[in-house]
Amino acid sequence: MSISKSKPVRDVLLAFARVHILHHASEERIFGVGMMAELGRHGYELGPGTLYPLLQRLQTEGLLAMQTEVVDGKMRKYYTATGRGRTALQAIRPKLAELAEEVLPDGTTPVAGHGKRRAGGR
């Protein structure tokens, strides 16, 4: 599912991607390439020109904290959810559950292969 769909679909999918990012960043530190792979596993096709500005916005909004570290001779930016980011995620979860219950047909289950997986780390 390409993020470059029509603007209304794109806006919703980007909001879903933000929730994914907050979720993974609240569990462990994440980095761009790892998060791109994780989102890709869920069918999101976000390129660096979309993902990195999104991570920057989440940081500017105070939802993510960023720390740089040298990995294999290159600077890598790692992100973790801040207290504000964790609070936002907690506020989103009940609404997300309510939406899923209302919108998804009874008995709908996640697509095979789209379960939990690590998105960051080293």
Side-chain angles (χ1 to χ4, degrees), residues 29-117:
R29 65 188 195 157
I30 62 169
F31 61 98
V33 172
M35 201 63 229
M36 243 186 291
E38 173 63 14
L39 290 169
R41 210 173 60 71
H42 291 285
Y44 298 94
E45 297 173 11
L46 271 73
T50 300
L51 180 64
Y52 289 106
L54 180 56
L55 290 169
Q56 178 62 42
R57 267 193 310 278
L58 290 168
Q59 181 187 358
T60 300
E61 293 166 356
L63 302 175
L64 294 179
M66 189 268 296
Q67 177 184 11
T68 57
E69 192 174 300
V70 177
V71 177
D72 296 329
K74 297 178 183 176
M75 292 297 287
R76 178 180 286 173
K77 294 179 180 179
Y78 285 100
Y79 299 87
T80 54
T82 62
R84 185 174 176 188
R86 292 181 203 293
T87 299
L89 185 59
Q90 287 302 108
I92 291 166
R93 283 183 172 139
K95 294 294 185 187
L96 183 59
E98 179 183 345
L99 178 64
E101 185 177 327
E102 188 170 315
V103 172
L104 299 177
D106 290 339
T108 299
T109 58
V111 176
H114 285 77
K116 284 191 161 194
R117 184 170 296 176

Side-chain angles (χ1 to χ4, degrees), residues 3-47:
I3 274 292
S4 63
K5 304 273 185 199
S6 68
K7 179 150 175 39
V9 172
R10 176 181 163 78
D11 290 347
V12 170
L13 293 178
L14 283 172
F16 290 167
R18 288 171 64 103
V19 174
H20 270 278
I21 290 167
L22 280 176
H23 166 72
H24 287 290
S26 71
E27 290 191 332
E28 63 185 342
R29 65 188 195 157
I30 62 169
F31 61 98
V33 172
M35 201 63 229
M36 243 186 291
E38 173 63 14
L39 290 169
R41 210 173 60 71
H42 291 285
Y44 298 94
E45 297 173 11
L46 271 73

